[in-house]
Amino acid sequence: MKEVLHNYAGIIFLLLGITIGSVIGIVSPGIVEYIKPLGDIFLNLLFVSVVPLVFFAVSNSIASLEQQSKFGKIILVMSFTFLFFILTAAIFTICAVYLFPVSGVSGSSEAVVETANEEGWGNRIVSFFTVGEFTALFSRQNMLALLIFAFMTGISARKAGEKGQSFRAFIASGYEVMKELLLLIMKLAPIGLGAYFAFQVATLGPQLFGFYAKPLGLYYIAGIIYFFVFFTLYAFMADGQNGIKSFWKNAVYPTLTALSTCSSFATMPANLQAASKIGIPNSIANLVIPIGTTLHKNGSSMSSIIKIYVAFLIIGRDFFEPTNLLLALGITVFVSIVAGGIPNGGYIGEMLMISVYKLPQEAIPAIMIIGTLVDPLATVLNAVGDIVAAMFVNRFVKV
């Protein structure tokens, strides 16, 4: 019980902060303006730490990942499998929010001012992927350009061979330092988000609780359906009826481990044990599951779509516009793959979302809260999905 409480401490403290903030917003709305700066301070600290963390984390992960790429065919099939599963989860969630829409909060679009400008599509494409000055890379307004630069830096560091060893050590060290900085800042999340929630309750009223409950309920219902239906389908595609029986017979222990620890990394030993019992060769399981723990996130894919959808509801924009949907899928792939190995990587995805869609920063607290509250089920989908991914790779790669 102590271990479970320790693993869920972050969620418990966040809920406590939200609860206190809600009470303040309802009982004493007059003092909200005095505590809202606490939320602003938290967001500003988050902004300044995320940008360097993204650069170090992405460049370091790419430089390190290439060292594991000698198993060419396994890596290729594994990459397509991860991408297929992640996009399937995202598209399924888009269908869910389309069929069961959530109504926005009355007055939210007025409370949050939209900052998107009306520049041409060609200029938007250029600004999404590139910037004109090196210093402009390190702005949260240009996250996508920073990601591309970090990706190419990681590849170049790897190609530099022995001469690039010092630089690779530098970005690896930088990643560890910035990771610890983000973890330190996130300790302030209950206070910062509690202050913002007090402001939202005071501004928008108690109807805000219903607004959060609906997307959360939708995520948990869609996530449970995905867990049972799609994982069964993937297991069948991997090994027919025998695959279904083997998967569900051995998936119980990893599922319970993911729920109790709320950690994909803590579930990895249980996944490896389950893969061995299913009959997946070690040469595949020992590659797919460890890499999948970092780069393969079905639950994160689904939560990314929900968070983008909620952000659009808050500012009163149409999420289902084709351009917005395509960008949502792109952001989701990044959040599920590249940001998967970064602590609180979902928050980095939210920064990217704000940058690409030109959304106001006031939308961030709402989607951070939702991202935290869906974390238990998201962890189960992320972790257990690695087993069925290993089965899928084994289907197409005979070793």
Side-chain angles (χ1 to χ4, degrees), residues 146-272:
L146 175 62
L147 291 172
I148 293 172
F149 178 76
F151 186 88
M152 293 190 296
T153 299
I155 293 176
S156 301
R158 186 69 245 146
K159 288 183 175 295
E162 186 176 342
K163 293 182 179 180
Q165 179 60 39
S166 297
F167 185 79
R168 289 196 298 274
F170 164 70
I171 58 177
S173 177
Y175 165 63
E176 294 298 329
V177 172
M178 298 312 301
K179 178 180 68 174
E180 292 300 323
L181 175 60
L182 182 62
L183 292 174
L184 182 63
I185 292 173
M186 289 310 301
K187 293 183 182 298
L188 301 175
I191 297 175
L193 294 182
Y196 249 107
F197 209 85
F199 170 75
Q200 289 181 320
V201 170
T203 304
L204 303 174
Q207 61 176 321
L208 187 66
F209 297 109
F211 173 71
Y212 279 106
K214 291 176 182 178
L216 285 173
L218 182 60
Y219 178 86
Y220 274 91
I221 292 172
I224 291 171
I225 292 174
Y226 185 86
F227 180 73
F228 287 105
V229 175
F230 281 84
F231 282 4
T232 298
L233 178 61
Y234 295 151
F236 177 79
M237 294 170 67
D239 195 20
Q241 293 288 343
N242 184 58
I244 295 176
K245 294 178 182 178
S246 298
F247 173 73
W248 287 113
K249 179 181 178 181
N250 295 286
V252 175
Y253 178 54
T255 300
L256 295 176
T257 303
L259 276 175
S260 62
T261 63
C262 211
S263 168
S264 294
F265 283 98
T267 311
M268 190 193 304
N271 279 346
L272 290 170

Side-chain angles (χ1 to χ4, degrees), residues 318-391:
D318 182 15
F319 171 71
F320 297 103
E321 184 179 309
T323 301
N324 291 334
L325 289 178
L326 289 175
L327 286 174
L329 290 175
I331 292 172
T332 295
V333 169
F334 165 75
V335 171
S336 305
I337 295 179
V338 180
I342 305 173
N344 300 295
Y347 301 142
I348 295 175
E350 286 145 20
M351 301 300 106
L352 177 62
M353 180 198 315
I354 297 299
S355 172
V356 170
Y357 286 118
K358 308 296 183 184
L359 300 178
Q361 73 177 41
E362 287 82 359
I364 295 179
I367 53 182
M368 288 180 70
I369 290 169
I370 289 176
T372 301
L373 296 180
V374 303
D375 193 50
L377 180 57
T379 301
V380 172
L381 295 173
N382 290 341
V384 182
D386 293 334
I387 301 175
V388 78
M391 294 175 64

Side-chain angles (χ1 to χ4, degrees), residues 67-87:
Q67 293 176 331
Q68 305 168 7
S69 298
K70 56 183 179 181
F71 306 107
K73 189 174 182 180
I74 296 178
I75 292 291
L76 181 63
V77 175
M78 179 185 68
S79 300
F80 278 110
T81 299
F82 288 173
L83 186 61
F84 172 63
F85 285 6
I86 288 169
L87 287 176

